[in-house]
Amino acid sequence: MLFRPYKEEDAKEILSWIKDEREFRLWSADRYKNYPITPMDITNNYIECKKLSDFFAFTLEDNGNVIGHLILRVPGTDKKIIRLGFIIVDNRIRGKGYGKRLISEAIKLAKTEFGAEEINLGVFANNKNAIECYKAVGFEVVCIEKNVYQFYDEQWDCIEMILKK
């Protein structure tokens, strides 16, 4: 497996894993105004994110096939704090440990290359499989923010997680 920087051509494959708007919003919340989006929308969003903060997008490949994707970013002024986001694995291979591998590679990079002392993420409370994946690699719940996102007539809670030392 190869954990490498995101390439523009990865976007088409990443979007193919998202089957409906609900799944899209679980992945991206309100970071994109409209649904569906195009591969160029992802690339343009990432270009804008790089202008605002230290922002790094990565892709996981297996035998030349794109199978996972996430971003690392510095959310504030403390460069020792890294936040993971836009975490997604090919829906055809979920539940086989690839998500754990993707996140483990990101953790290793954040610590060794960026000097991270804290790694955190947010996940919607109704994304149970993702929560279990994050717990399996060492994240723990630090707080639950109630009703932070509205998806049509639903109110979603967000769970903030931090990597245990």
Side-chain angles (χ1 to χ4, degrees):
M1 274 190 252
L2 175 66
F3 185 70
R4 61 158 174 82
Y6 164 85
K7 298 176 189 172
E8 191 173 312
E9 57 266 24
D10 297 339
K12 183 177 179 184
E13 183 65 22
I14 293 163
L15 285 179
S16 77
W17 306 334
I18 299 170
K19 300 304 178 202
D20 58 33
E21 186 175 5
R22 181 184 190 81
E23 199 171 306
F24 176 72
R25 296 299 174 193
L26 282 171
W27 175 66
S28 69
D30 60 358
R31 300 308 184 259
Y32 297 92
K33 183 178 178 183
N34 299 311
Y35 172 83
I37 64 170
T38 67
M40 200 64 203
D41 291 329
I42 292 177
T43 298
N44 289 338
N45 180 44
Y46 288 178
I47 289 168
E48 290 304 309
C49 288
K50 286 180 184 183
K51 292 177 185 177
L52 301 174
S53 68
D54 291 333
F55 180 95
F56 309 92
F58 292 93
T59 298
L60 185 66
E61 280 186 11
D62 188 26
N63 294 320
N65 297 312
V66 174
I67 62 167
H69 171 71
L70 55 66
I71 62 100
L72 290 86
R73 68 181 177 93
V74 176
T77 57
D78 187 347
K79 296 202 181 272
K80 300 284 185 190
I81 299 174
I82 299 287
R83 188 161 180 88
L84 302 183
F86 291 112
I87 303 166
I88 190 166
V89 171
D90 183 337
N91 60 326
R92 296 168 295 189
I93 58 169
R94 289 181 189 157
K96 297 182 179 180
Y98 291 104
K100 292 176 199 161
R101 177 70 183 268
L102 174 68
I103 296 163
S104 295
E105 291 295 326
I107 291 167
K108 183 169 53 174
L109 181 79
K111 289 181 175 181
T112 61
E113 298 296 318
F114 299 111
E117 294 176 1
E118 177 183 311
I119 302 171
N120 61 51
L121 59 83
V123 59
F124 288 120
N126 56 346
N127 197 345
K128 303 293 186 200
N129 291 337
I131 295 164
E132 291 309 310
C133 178
Y134 305 148
K135 285 180 177 179
V137 294
F139 283 86
E140 61 185 9
V141 174
V142 290
C143 72
I144 301 173
E145 298 174 51
K146 296 288 188 182
N147 301 320
V148 297
Y149 185 76
Q150 184 165 346
F151 179 74
Y152 293 100
D153 62 344
E154 301 174 33
Q155 291 290 326
W156 293 356
D157 298 341
C158 184
I159 297 176
E160 287 294 317
M161 303 182 82
I162 191 169
L163 184 66
K164 295 182 280 190
K165 297 284 181 189

